[in-house]
Amino acid sequence: MTHNWLLYMAAFATSFAISLLTTPFAKKLAFKLKAIDYPKSRGLHSEPMPRMGGIAIVLGFMITVLLMSFFVEDFITTEFVGFIIGGFIIVALGMLDDIYELSAKFKFLVQLIVAVIVVKTGTRIDVIMWPYWEYLKDFNAPITVIWIIGVINAVNLIDGVDGLAAGVTSIAALCLTVLCIISGTTTAVVLTSTLAGACLGFLPRNFSPAEVYMGDTGSTFLGYVLAVSSCIGVYKSYAILSVFISVLAMALPIFDTLFAMTRRAINHKPIMSPDRGHLHHRLIDSGYTHRQAVVILYGLSAISAVIAILIAVQNFQATVVVLVFFLVLLLMLYVYRSRTNKR
């Protein structure tokens, strides 16, 4: 398949520019609507912060995608319309949560409705493509719904340190862009490259020390776009490998969420209850600065993304080399932390 590289670069650059330029507006809007994050015991900041900066990411993404719809024929479909409608609902939910702090049950209900809208308009994980999994054909829809809700909340849960969610999502989006280029899914390439640009445009004012937080407006939207674009591009192209590839592309938020759920279940606490047990909290509590913790997590995300790409191109030797490097890096971090603590 012939790719329109100019279109992909234009999507990335446009969303980057819009997000970068509208971040100050999003910051002012957060103050005006009183979407403020005040200091709390498990928080990492000591003064009130505007937390609706994600509006800039949404504007960068949505405006760019609507512009790209004039150049990509596949965008004029019921599937794309369902994606856009679901996106607006998720953004509205995030804005209300940033202002009023909605209950977890209500947010879950709205996320469920959004996921059903996406599935009903044609976006599904087609498990019949997976060998020997034909008997799961009737579960295409519920599996897709679970995936969308899961990724939305996974990205939301890692948004606890300056620049973490935006940076990790940028890495995941770039990884998915490469995977979708390999698979030849133009629609998904445009969506993921646009998302990467929007995140990177917001990052300069969100990286430590942050001027503005993305809030649920941004984090839930990022998770939503990652989830749906992976359904469109990855899950329809790599058969059974798509499971491992998609999880690796978004490894940090997914595994951090799974560990959080397990930890809370063991401690007999509500699964949606907040705590300081997330990986970024543990790194900071062990002595790393905010920036060091974020950079470490960026590195881990990048390595898992590279492994995902290598698996997709079926380069076994390179995958082993990267995996060994990954393990050595973890060992070096452990030794460094141990020696620092002794001092």
Side-chain angles (χ1 to χ4, degrees):
M1 175 182 176
T2 303
H3 286 284
N4 189 339
W5 297 99
L6 183 60
L7 181 70
Y8 302 157
M9 290 187 288
F12 177 90
T14 303
S15 62
F16 176 90
I18 294 174
S19 179
L20 183 67
L21 294 174
T22 57
T23 300
F25 160 75
K27 181 179 177 181
K28 292 179 181 178
L29 182 64
F31 279 118
K32 187 173 182 178
L33 296 177
K34 297 185 178 0
I36 310 296
D37 189 8
Y38 293 98
K40 45 186 172 287
S41 58
R42 64 183 183 85
L44 299 174
H45 61 96
S46 56
E47 57 185 42
M49 292 287 292
R51 63 177 180 185
M52 201 185 283
I55 287 292
I57 297 175
V58 174
L59 290 173
F61 181 87
M62 286 297 194
I63 293 174
T64 302
V65 166
L66 292 175
L67 289 173
M68 292 299 111
S69 66
F70 292 101
F71 305 96
V72 182
E73 293 182 1
D74 292 344
F75 276 10
I76 314 301
T77 61
T78 305
E79 186 177 6
F80 178 71
V81 172
F83 166 72
I84 294 297
I85 292 173
F88 279 121
I89 296 174
I90 282 293
V91 172
L93 176 67
M95 292 178 67
L96 290 173
D97 189 40
D98 285 336
I99 298 171
Y100 301 110
E101 296 190 12
L102 306 174
S103 69
K105 291 182 179 179
F106 178 76
K107 290 189 289 185
F108 176 81
L109 177 61
V110 176
Q111 291 169 6
L112 178 61
I113 293 172
V114 167
V116 170
I117 290 173
V118 172
V119 170
K120 288 294 185 181
T121 51
T123 301
R124 298 192 180 192
I125 297 173
D126 193 1
V127 297
I128 200 170
M129 292 179 61
W130 306 347
Y132 313 112
W133 287 43
E134 291 87 351
Y135 61 90
L136 287 177
K137 179 181 178 180
D138 295 335
F139 295 94
N140 281 356
I143 289 174
T144 308
V145 168
I146 292 171
W147 172 254
I148 293 173
I149 294 175
V151 176
I152 286 174
N153 287 285
V155 176
N156 179 242
L157 287 174
I158 66 165
D159 185 28
V161 185
D162 298 352
L164 182 58
V168 168
T169 301
S170 300
I171 294 169
L174 290 172
C175 175
L176 290 175
T177 299
V178 174
L179 294 172
C180 294
I181 288 174
I182 296 172
S183 69
T185 315
T186 302
T187 302
V189 175
V190 174
L191 293 179
T192 52
S193 60
T194 300
L195 181 64
C199 289
L200 290 173
F202 177 72
L203 196 56
R205 292 181 182 271
N206 183 239
F207 193 73
S208 180
E211 296 179 24
V212 59
Y213 292 162
M214 68 171 64
D216 276 21
T217 304
S219 61
T220 53
F221 180 75
L222 297 183
Y224 171 76
V225 177
L226 283 177
V228 178
S229 58
S230 64
C231 290
I232 296 173
V234 180
Y235 274 114
K236 291 185 178 179
S237 307
Y238 294 102
I240 189 63
L241 275 178
S242 62
V243 180
F244 305 105
I245 290 172
S246 296
V247 170
L248 281 172
M250 296 173 270
L252 179 63
I254 289 175
F255 286 113
D256 189 49
T257 300
L258 291 175
F259 291 148
M261 293 172 65
T262 303
R263 179 176 64 250
R264 291 164 188 170
I266 292 174
N267 295 326
H268 305 290
K269 294 182 178 180
I271 291 179
M272 300 301 292
S273 64
D275 59 23
R276 279 188 64 88
H278 293 287
L279 185 55
H280 52 270
H281 286 134
R282 290 180 179 274
L283 286 171
I284 292 171
D285 290 343
S286 68
Y288 291 101
T289 65
H290 289 204
R291 287 193 177 191
Q292 288 173 335
V294 169
V295 170
I296 289 171
L297 296 176
Y298 282 176
L300 297 179
S301 296
I303 291 172
S304 65
V306 170
I307 293 174
I309 294 171
L310 292 174
I311 291 175
V313 299
Q314 299 180 10
N315 190 330
F316 177 74
Q317 292 180 337
T319 303
V320 172
V321 170
V322 173
L323 184 58
V324 170
F325 173 77
F326 175 72
L327 295 174
V328 171
L329 178 62
L330 289 177
L331 178 62
M332 290 173 62
L333 288 172
Y334 174 77
V335 173
Y336 168 77
R337 189 71 263 152
S338 298
R339 290 177 63 86
T340 302
N341 287 338
K342 286 181 179 179
R343 290 178 187 149

